[in-house]
Amino acid sequence: MRLINAIRMGGVDVLPLVEGGKGVSISNGLSAGNWALAGGVGTFSAVNADSFDVNGRAIPQVYHGRTRRERHEELVGYAVQGALAQARRAWEVTGGKGRIHANILWEMGGAERIITDVLAQAKGIINGITCGAGMPYRLSEIAAKFNVHYYPIISSARAFNALWKRAYSKTAELLGGVVYEDPWLAGGHNGLSNGEDPLRPEDPFPRVMALRKVMRDFGLHDTPIIMAGGVWCLEEWENWIDNPDLGPIAFQFGTRPLLTQESPIGDAWKQRLMTLKEGDVFLNRFSPTGFYSSAVNNGFIQELRERSERQVAFTSEAIGEHIAEYGVGPRKRTVYLTAGDRARVLGWERQGFTEALRTPDSTLVFVTPAKAREILADQTACMGCLSTCRFSNWAQHEADHSNGKKADPRSFCIQKTLQDIAHQSDEPAAVERNLMFSGHNAYRFSKDPFYSNGFIPSVKQLMERLLTGR
């Protein structure tokens, strides 16, 4: 395989191997620091990361506020302290000599406040900000304020074109690179547009070529593109390396660092990764963000799918075929179903799914009484972890903090499930009952001889393996 050489990124030479930032407490200061220590770019998640007490124990993120707004302020405080703790930990691991990036989600609650406060208190520790999940127009402005490089995560040349023309052209000197994230293969939330078919993956090469063309039009000939999503081993990308048409290329690894000794996920999660088969990770539309996301098809996802399948449309008056009366809620307020749907509902009730929950789309979903209580409790406990949330109807920038729609019981509290799996994933049950984000290549853990006999490498051993190309 063609040797891979250092690349100029963010003003320094680094190996073109980037750790992908992963959600709540899944890429942390320890993993990022060790990745950077091995010569690449380490990335910790600044999304509600863990902070620690004087004994080094993670501080539980418990909310005491009586209102959503009060709990949102608590969330911002936790997020700032957690990101600072992880940044300092990464810096300590490298002795202050590695390249450390902080990953944020533009659509997370309080994103601008959080990253601004973190950068103000972590001068000289964080070298770059990566940011996706939305269109982060103000990312360059925040980066310029603290003189750090910024790395937008996009999934099309069109998205970068819009970002550049509206904002980034004013701060071109700090654009460290552009992360192209494959919307069909990357783990977590994905940037599929309305015109793209989730069932028809596209070859990333022409899409990245289109991105490079746009970047060259803007004079960004030497700014690296970081390929993310679907990257497992470099020999499969040999025609991308030193390709003059593509220009400088680096590769981001999000899934493979999950299975390292320094990875903070629990043993049950690591063992589950080794059992996955092709197709066990798939795109779904259950996220409260409204984006597609890629996750393991476990008990959590299966319950969401079944919940949405137990769904019927209703009208408030008898109209057309909707003439079959049905009583909803404790007061049994009458709505109208079709005769066929009413028969289906009675069948679900016999199976124990007796609670009808209204959705924003004039439909009813049917769940057990226990699940209905859980959904209501989770919606009531909302702490505004997203800028807008379909599940709870929270909206950060509205005066009443409501998106103006009914809360959607077909979704879930993403903060609750990500915190739970991050801190309980040494228990097999927690791995089944929670959202488990993953890239689509995770099934290769069970096939790659590098992991034979249950071998879990250190970050250093993984980096050495990646450099061989295999």
Side-chain angles (χ1 to χ4, degrees), residues 163-232:
L163 289 166
W164 177 265
K165 288 183 175 178
R166 179 167 166 178
Y168 294 177
S169 59
K170 302 170 187 176
T171 322
E173 70 281 3
L174 288 176
L175 180 65
V178 179
V179 182
Y180 171 80
E181 187 174 74
D182 188 299
W184 289 275
L185 294 177
H189 289 105
N190 305 80
L192 281 166
S193 70
N194 292 333
E196 292 165 335
D197 189 338
L199 301 179
R200 293 179 179 271
E202 295 181 15
D203 181 355
F205 188 85
R207 292 171 68 92
V208 174
M209 281 293 295
L211 172 60
R212 177 57 75 187
K213 180 181 183 304
V214 168
M215 291 173 66
R216 283 185 171 135
D217 290 344
F218 300 144
L220 303 172
H221 303 273
D222 299 322
T223 302
I225 293 174
I226 302 162
M227 177 62 211
V231 182
W232 187 263

Side-chain angles (χ1 to χ4, degrees), residues 323-396:
I323 56 174
E325 293 187 5
Y326 182 76
V328 176
R331 298 183 182 179
K332 298 300 178 184
R333 291 182 176 174
T334 300
V335 298
Y336 297 88
L337 314 178
T338 66
D341 281 346
R342 187 173 185 279
R344 294 168 65 205
V345 166
L346 295 178
W348 294 332
E349 288 184 340
R350 288 192 291 271
Q351 297 172 44
F353 302 105
T354 56
E355 297 296 312
L357 304 178
R358 297 174 187 251
T359 80
D361 301 320
S362 296
T363 64
L364 302 173
V365 293
F366 287 81
V367 297
T368 64
K371 180 58 70 173
R373 289 192 295 271
E374 178 188 337
I375 290 170
L376 179 59
D378 289 347
Q379 290 171 335
T380 302
C382 174
M383 72 294 288
C385 73
L386 300 172
S387 63
T388 349
C389 177
R390 294 193 308 170
F391 176 67
S392 69
N393 89 348
W394 159 270
Q396 174 182 311

Side-chain angles (χ1 to χ4, degrees), residues 153-165:
I153 302 173
I154 52 92
S155 294
S156 69
R158 180 181 178 183
F160 180 73
N161 182 67
L163 289 166
W164 177 265
K165 288 183 175 178

Side-chain angles (χ1 to χ4, degrees), residues 77-126:
Y78 281 133
V80 171
Q81 293 308 310
L84 287 170
Q86 300 305 330
R88 289 164 180 154
R89 193 177 190 188
W91 188 85
E92 289 168 0
V93 169
T94 67
K97 298 177 181 178
R99 298 299 290 183
I100 301 297
H101 290 179
N103 181 67
I104 66 167
L105 307 177
W106 196 246
E107 294 301 328
M108 75 183 193
E112 291 185 51
R113 288 175 58 196
I114 291 165
I115 197 61
T116 299
D117 286 355
V118 169
L119 291 174
Q121 298 179 62
K123 292 180 180 178
I125 296 177
I126 297 172

